[in-house]
Amino acid sequence: MTMMTSPLLLIFPLLVFLPLEPVESFILKTRTNHLTRAPNINKKPPSEAAIAPPSTKCSVLMTTISTTMDTTAIKLTMENAAQELLTILVDRETNERSQQPTTTATEQEKNRIESLIETLVNCKCSFDPQVLSGPFFATVYSTGGASPPLWETLGKGKKNVKGQRYTLTEEENENEDDGEQQRGNVLNYAEIFGKGLHIAAYGNFSKTPSLSNENTITTTALSSSPLDNLLSFFNPTTTTKSLLTCPVEFDVEVTKGSICIMGKSIDIPISGLGKLRVLYADPLIRIFISPTDTTGGTKWESSGLVVVQVR
């Protein structure tokens, strides 16, 4: 008869020789592992230094970057609008002066011109006063005003050139404080039958203190490398300029005039007082408005007249 041996009887001798861990030690280890994985409610909160905001310099850097991005976006919008307006007006003027049949601006084109003018005016750009001085700017677009300006009435022909030249008087400006600079001479020019018959009005202008926003800005030279621009924040190379922020107003006085016939100039009685308000200005295009009627003599322009001039 074969005896059946229980598996437990075979395993039991082995268990006798295995080192057994005390029950108390096993329970303690289990609790320790459990507490290690569980949230430690007794752990101290992080110190204020650990959760402190970024350093002041980093905050300034981020603010500067944000401001620079906003300024860059506005500048790009302004530059794009100025370039588009310049292109439209120059093309329009070229077509009118060409030997081809002249084309009349469509309503859509006029609306676009007005929209671009509004965009540039709303930008309230800052400009170097020197952009007003020197070369002749031709008037290529005008709108508003109770009546057409005298120079437009006299020079009705499509090919007649009209415009202005402002010249800052350096000798006078050198002796004045910064707030009283920007004065000089002005020439108003209008062709009646081309260069052979034209009129000119001469006078002077000076900045109106009550509506002349002058400010000094510091510009940083930018590199094509973003890394260089970031490093320049810590060691910037800057240039300081005195700029005028639109709108800027000037008092204008016309003191004399002349009419030129085939190269011969004859003095004529032209005089008057007026105001010129600069709404936008850069080296290639500028927008003016006459806030008041010309008074004290010849009514050269009426209030509300907006002109765009290019060079």
Side-chain angles (χ1 to χ4, degrees), residues 13 63 82 140 171 226 243 249 309:
T63 302
V140 293
E171 293 78 6
L243 303 180
E249 193 166 287
Q309 298 180 339

Side-chain angles (χ1 to χ4, degrees), residues 68-131:
T68 301
M69 291 177 65
D70 292 342
T71 303
T72 301
I74 294 173
K75 186 176 180 181
L76 286 175
T77 299
M78 186 172 65
E79 289 178 349
N80 291 338
Q83 183 59 50
E84 183 180 352
L85 180 60
L86 180 65
T87 301
I88 292 175
L89 293 177
V90 169
D91 289 347
R92 183 168 172 259
E93 192 74 6
T94 301
N95 291 335
E96 289 183 348
R97 294 176 182 280
S98 67
Q99 299 301 321
Q100 303 295 328
T102 58
T103 57
T104 304
T106 63
E107 191 67 25
Q108 182 179 2
E109 184 183 60
K110 288 182 178 179
N111 290 339
R112 184 55 182 163
I113 291 173
E114 297 287 342
S115 175
L116 291 170
I117 291 174
E118 182 179 4
T119 298
L120 292 175
V121 172
N122 290 338
C123 283
K124 298 185 183 299
C125 77
S126 295
F127 64 93
D128 187 337
Q130 290 298 324
V131 304

Side-chain angles (χ1 to χ4, degrees), residues 170-185:
E170 295 181 2
E171 293 78 6
E172 293 183 7
N173 290 330
E174 288 176 354
N175 298 325
E176 300 286 351
D177 295 332
D178 289 345
E180 297 298 329
Q181 288 183 5
Q182 293 84 53
R183 65 176 62 196
N185 302 320

